[in-house]
Amino acid sequence: MRPKRVVIALGGNALEDKNLPSTADSQLEVVKKTSEYIAEISCAGYEIAIVHGNGPQVGRILLASEAAANVTPAMPFDVCGAMSQGYIGYHIQQGLKLALAKRNRILPVVSVVTQMVVDKEDKAFQNPTKPIGPFYTEEDAKKLEEEKGYAVKEDAGRGWRRVVPSPIPKRIVEIDTIKTLWNTTISIACGGGGIPVIEKEDGSLEGIAAVIDKDFAAERLAEDMDADILMILTEVEKVSINFKKPNQEDLSKLTIEQAEKYIGEGHFAPGSMLPKVMAAVNFAKSRPGRKAIITSLYKATEALDDKCGTVIED
């Protein structure tokens, strides 16, 4: 039997610490700690690939580019996304190689700059929802809306942020390369959800201004790689209904039907837990025997042993 295949989707807390400055050095230190948990999964015998988010990072790259526009031309949004894949992937490569070496596990770790085909008619382009960049006060957010034409929204009680379209991923352009690497290499792929591109009539690809949700991208990758488990790592140990209410209930196991019922009842916040649960349901439905796990980064290995986390399966 082949080893179990796991696609790991890393949440924002795996890359940044809110108590540290938003610098490259701080991110690398956080990633090194994150890599210890990922290395443990690899050492437990699982074959893995890693998908990460990029919301704060791509927002800062874009802000820096726009701020320097009078000195050098600002980069378009898709190029900023590619830049974020490069530097986040570079940090994960450094952190994970070090963590693996400590455990005498010698494996290549590579980042694949990944494009993701989306439908140009996706309704997301009429309703931007994906938060990127830093948090603002309502006053500052409205000012950006007026001066730069940004779409802005309040983000789960944490402040205001710029939002961009978040279309559904349809096809991973570099999937054949990722498949070739799988048996020998830990791949970091679909970073930030992948660089969103549309396929033109002549077969060429064109980048667009959008951010694909990394959980949906991880689900697409997990299906394409015939993975056994989609593991979505976030800040909380379990999915909850009635979140932050007196009757909050933490959930250990969910059937697809139960999860879809809770989605329909509006228990999960858009841009937060909702895409995680939706991606988990999509993966669990994609083939009998597949399961999705949503849990904290710090409980990842325990969740794979069914000791914690929320499992969604048929």
Side-chain angles (χ1 to χ4, degrees), residues 44-113:
Y46 294 95
E47 293 182 348
I48 64 174
I50 300 165
V51 177
H52 60 78
N54 72 342
Q57 292 86 354
V58 73
R60 286 195 293 271
I61 291 170
L62 186 64
L63 283 172
S65 182
E66 291 178 346
N70 61 332
V71 178
T72 185
M75 294 293 104
F77 196 90
D78 58 310
V79 173
C80 292
M83 293 167 71
S84 74
Q85 281 192 6
Y87 97 84
I88 296 170
Y90 157 62
H91 279 172
I92 297 173
Q93 285 173 220
Q94 284 203 333
L96 188 52
K97 281 290 287 184
L98 178 63
L100 290 168
K102 285 185 200 174
R103 295 160 174 80
N104 295 315
R105 187 165 175 79
I106 308 304
L107 280 174
V109 182
V110 300
S111 300
V112 180
V113 176

